[in-house]
Amino acid sequence: MEVVIVPDAAAGGELIAEAMAQLLRRKPDALLGVATGSTPLPIYQALTAKVRAGAVDTSRARIAQLDEYVGLPAEHPESYRSVLRREVLEPLGIGIDAFLGPDGAAEDVRAACQAYDAELARAGGVDLQLLGIGTDGHIGFNEPCSSLASRTRIKTLTEQTRVDNARFFDGDIAQVPHHVITQGIGTILEARHLVLLATGEGKADAVAATVEGPVAAVCPASALQLHPHATVVVDEAAASKLKHADYFRYTFVNKPEWQGI
Ligand code: F6R
């Protein structure tokens, strides 16, 4: 995998937004897989700035959701559908008809999960999937010990993830749902390019396990090692526990041909 160490979150956001812009210039109707949480916000801000500057056209872009809470109505402000509307669709001027996501309020959750995997396949697959990482190494909401071949399904959040996400629910863990629908690790690995952004010291252990640890279900993000085109962008703090940081810096700067990520 390619590891890129950037000075800070804003630089990571800019680098990744530029990769998305380049993809959209090549393929205007690209299917972009997006994540929620705090980490990707600098990416969305940088991409929005490019759209406003006329440097990229998102009018034909399509957006696919990575995960969703179960039991929150779609219109709840913290449902990931609402969050993505606010943070991605509206700023980028992309309509809801170009949005693919699982139905977190479905009566039959299992059927909704299967339907979502089928919808992604019908749409031609995800071209570029953005990922954050949990402090416990989760991607999407594939918590530790998730099958590395898993498909979209319902998962139970760990206590740690619910504590981490309570900040989006007025700091009240009781309001954080216990269950989510998440693309499985096998589903995520089908995207053509995986781009994980991690920022801050709190992610340093998870990043080291992802990049330098064994491929193991105990760290779901380590499955990125199996992907032919996976890029991990980390700021200095998130890179602080990497033993090979100097090598990663050296390889990125000395790429034979500069093409971004
Ligand atoms: C959310 C998601 C999660 C987050 C992760 C990190 O859609 O897929 O894996 O990326 O929990 O969250 P932040 O960025 O808030 O630290």
Side-chain angles (χ1 to χ4, degrees), residues 34-40 66-67 80 131-135 138-141 161 165 167-168 203:
V34 293
T36 47
S38 309
T39 311
L66 182 58
D67 40 24
Y80 282 170
L131 298 166
I133 186 169
T135 51
H138 69 226
I139 48 172
F141 278 129
T161 300
N165 284 8
R167 68 189 192 281
F168 297 113
K203 301 292 174 71

